[in-house]
Amino acid sequence: MSTTPSAAPRILSTRDGYDLWAEIYDTEQNPLILLEEPEVKRHLGDVRGLAVADVGCGTGRHAVRLAAERAHVTALDFSEGMIGRAKAKATVGDISFVVHDIATPLPLADRSMDRVINCLVLDHVPTARLEALFRELGRICKRDGFIVVSVMHPAMMLRGVQARFTDPKTGQETRPESSPNVISDYVMGALGAGLRVLHLSEHAVGDELASSVPRAAKYLGWPVLFMMKLAPGDT
Ligand SMILES: C[S@@+](CC[C@H](N)C(=O)[O-])C[C@H]1O[C@@H](n2cnc3c(N)ncnc32)[C@H](O)[C@@H]1O
């Protein structure tokens, strides 16, 4: 098999792309994740005894930690490859996994979750479907609960960057299909779904990250992460 990288990235369906990426996803030092993780932790705070849904859980980066911190976690994803990795890591706590396409209604009861997280997923959700997904996140969230969303900042697309990895077998840049959503799509999607906005923030690569992670240096000062904290509305 050839190991010579070809110039044109290969675009796969989002599900097929992540099934393939799953093999190496946890081995990469991803600057976006390094910026995002402390933000999600800070917003969630103490989760002991809380019901948490991780919608688009991937390899369980958040879900596995939250279960270890004694949350009752339900983790959903449509990639068998990604969720398989998460299952293998989930050795402690109360965590259940559901293979599910979040383009369809979530298989969770109304107002059943204290916390809902949706991390680094929305750049794969077509713009026209954002509002319906936000509506689902709001439906499963308890009235006194909240929702934490993180997503790759749309400004990354101006640098030609989308979710991508190098296929270790072929050396080819491979991209699970993404949607060119912009900040207003996310904000209007959430508002259109009747959610309340509690917090919005945009995060750029700072000096510390740029000097410690070679991949991050070229994004010094550039926004790479967008965060939202949302709550169910009055209706
Ligand atoms: C970049 S990964 C992030 C995973 C995890 N939330 C994290 O932050 O580490 C994006 C995940 O979203 C999942 N995903 C994308 N579109 C989806 C859909 N329509 N239904 C379910 N999962 C989806 C992918 O399979 C992948 O695991």
Side-chain angles (χ1 to χ4, degrees), residues 11 25 32 38 42 84 107 120 122 138 157 159 179-180 207 213 217 225 227:
I11 314 289
Y25 190 86
L32 180 59
R42 187 170 63 79
L120 307 182
L122 289 187
M157 287 220 177
R159 305 275 296 256
S179 171
D207 290 323
V213 179
L225 173 69
M227 297 285 311

Side-chain angles (χ1 to χ4, degrees), residues 26-166:
D26 285 341
T27 65
E28 298 177 310
Q29 201 181 29
N30 183 334
L32 180 59
I33 282 177
L34 294 173
L35 261 183
E36 187 250 22
E37 220 161 82
E39 292 299 321
V40 173
K41 281 186 190 170
R42 187 170 63 79
H43 283 300
L44 286 177
D46 185 357
V47 294
R48 257 174 307 179
L50 299 182
V52 181
D54 184 352
V55 179
C57 65
T59 59
R61 188 168 60 90
H62 292 300
V64 170
R65 171 184 71 83
L66 293 167
E69 291 177 8
R70 295 199 229 145
H72 306 289
V73 180
T74 307
L76 305 93
D77 204 289
F78 70 173
S79 161
E80 303 253 11
M82 294 293 273
I83 218 167
R85 298 274 160 172
K87 277 183 189 164
K89 291 191 282 179
T91 51
V92 291
D94 174 13
I95 181 164
S96 56
F97 292 97
V98 186
V99 175
H100 181 80
D101 183 349
I102 61 172
T104 64
L106 302 177
L108 299 171
D110 294 2
R111 311 273 166 245
S112 54
M113 296 290 152
D114 298 291
R115 305 283 181 266
V116 178
I117 64 171
N118 178 256
C119 296
L120 307 182
V121 177
L122 289 187
D123 50 316
H124 298 296
V125 176
T127 314
R129 292 222 196 105
L130 286 170
E131 186 175 314
L133 176 58
F134 278 118
R135 202 173 290 286
E136 280 295 283
L137 302 182
R139 176 185 65 74
I140 64 171
C141 189
K142 291 181 184 172
R143 292 231 174 269
D144 59 353
F146 60 83
I147 302 158
V148 175
V149 173
S150 68
V151 65
M152 182 192 291
H153 198 292
M156 292 299 275
M157 287 220 177
L158 301 176
R159 305 275 296 256
V161 177
Q162 297 177 357
R164 60 184 176 179
F165 64 101
T166 302

